[in-house]
Amino acid sequence: SHGVPRSLHPTMVRSALSESLPPQSPRISSRASTGRRRRRIRLELDDGTTLDLSPTVLDQFPLYEGDTVDAALQAQLLDADLRHRCRETALSLLDVRARSRTELARRLRDKEFPAGVIRDLLDDFEERGWLDDAAFARALARDRIRFKPRAPVRLHQELQRRGVDSDVADEQIQRVMREEETSPDQLARTAAEAWLRRQGHSVQQALARTEWHETTEKAKRRLLNHLARRGFRGSPAIAALDAARALARQWVAERPDP
């Protein structure tokens, strides 16, 4: 007769039920510390999936054995871990030395972090005041002026190589020059004097001569080349050379023999 069968085979019943129920999310079968110094936590799911995560991420998402981890939660965990690793890498780079935004972004890209993650992180660092191109430019310019004198044009070039905007670089260099009460001429003289102090007595004697001599011309060229590499040319370089020769004559007069 036509109609519904009075009974179904148990296998058919289980199959029908499994098709009508949503798929079950995998559960955490184990949780253990792993990695160098055991700074990561590995979650193993009962479907064979393994998630290696930072403890910081699992502070945000407390998960333990027996908890379910569906696909959406897995994506959240992996995204949070990626952002945490990017942040820790950036902080480590800033611990070594200050960097411009462009410079830090370049280093993070080299470590293959996604552009969107990098952008969000650097925006956050700027809001917190941890990343400031003007402050970076000012600190670098002050360090160079105090310890490695070079012309403003060289400072500007170095800042641009490090990703600082041209206008920001100019503004901060001029600000530091005012604060340090110095000028290109003074910086050139300081660079020349530092070079002279590193030379042997024979070079100092050569520069101290007032009459023409081949060794004197050679020493002058060496000093002028040294200044040119630091951006000092023209009148600041000539004035620095004259000051160095006067200083050499003074030193030689005080100790004529080495």
Side-chain angles (χ1 to χ4, degrees), residues 202-203 205-207 209 212-220:
S202 61
V203 173
Q205 281 185 318
L207 283 177
R209 289 193 181 95
W212 188 94
H213 195 280
E214 183 178 349
T215 58
T216 300
E217 297 305 307
K218 180 179 178 180
K220 287 165 60 176

Side-chain angles (χ1 to χ4, degrees), residues 78-95:
L78 293 174
D79 180 70
D81 188 71
L82 177 65
R83 292 175 185 275
H84 173 76
R85 287 187 287 110
C86 186
R87 178 188 175 89
E88 291 300 299
T89 301
L91 289 174
S92 294
L93 290 168
L94 291 175
D95 279 345

Side-chain angles (χ1 to χ4, degrees), residues 108-234:
L108 293 173
R109 283 197 303 272
D110 289 345
K111 295 181 181 296
E112 300 184 349
F113 289 108
V117 171
I118 294 171
R119 182 180 60 252
D120 291 346
L121 176 73
L122 300 188
D123 286 346
D124 178 61
F125 276 18
E126 285 186 337
E127 289 178 8
R128 294 171 183 270
W130 297 350
L131 201 58
D132 183 333
D133 278 7
F136 168 74
R138 195 160 56 249
L140 187 141
R142 182 171 287 111
D143 177 81
R144 295 295 185 262
I145 285 171
R146 289 180 176 179
F147 305 110
K148 298 179 180 178
R150 58 198 64 191
V153 65
R154 280 288 186 270
L155 283 173
H156 186 273
Q157 291 169 352
E158 181 175 3
L159 287 169
Q160 284 207 290
R161 284 197 304 273
R162 293 174 181 266
V164 177
D165 176 78
S166 180
D167 290 340
V168 172
D170 280 338
E171 180 182 349
Q172 298 308 316
I173 290 169
Q174 293 306 315
R175 173 176 170 176
V176 172
M177 296 276 283
R178 290 192 302 271
E179 291 174 351
E180 296 294 315
E181 299 180 344
T182 191
S183 66
D185 286 356
Q186 179 59 52
L187 290 173
R189 288 194 295 272
T190 301
E193 180 179 342
W195 179 87
L196 185 63
R197 289 183 183 280
R198 294 193 297 271
Q199 306 309 305
H201 190 68
S202 61
V203 173
Q204 295 173 3
Q205 281 185 318
L207 283 177
R209 289 193 181 95
T210 54
E211 72 281 2
W212 188 94
H213 195 280
E214 183 178 349
T215 58
T216 300
E217 297 305 307
K218 180 179 178 180
K220 287 165 60 176
R221 286 194 300 273
R222 285 182 58 199
L223 176 51
L224 289 173
N225 287 337
H226 172 80
L227 293 172
R229 288 193 295 273
R230 282 150 184 75
F232 299 111
R233 299 176 184 276

Side-chain angles (χ1 to χ4, degrees), residues 14-27 68 70:
R14 285 196 298 271
S15 176
L17 287 173
S18 65
E19 289 177 3
S20 64
L21 293 174
Q24 188 174 8
S25 297
R27 293 180 179 275
T68 59
D70 61 19

Side-chain angles (χ1 to χ4, degrees), residues 37-55:
R37 300 183 184 179
R38 308 182 74 78
R39 289 182 176 175
R40 306 279 290 172
I41 294 178
R42 174 169 295 170
L43 302 182
E44 293 186 358
L45 310 186
D46 57 14
D47 68 350
T49 302
T50 299
L51 302 174
D52 284 345
L53 304 169
S54 162

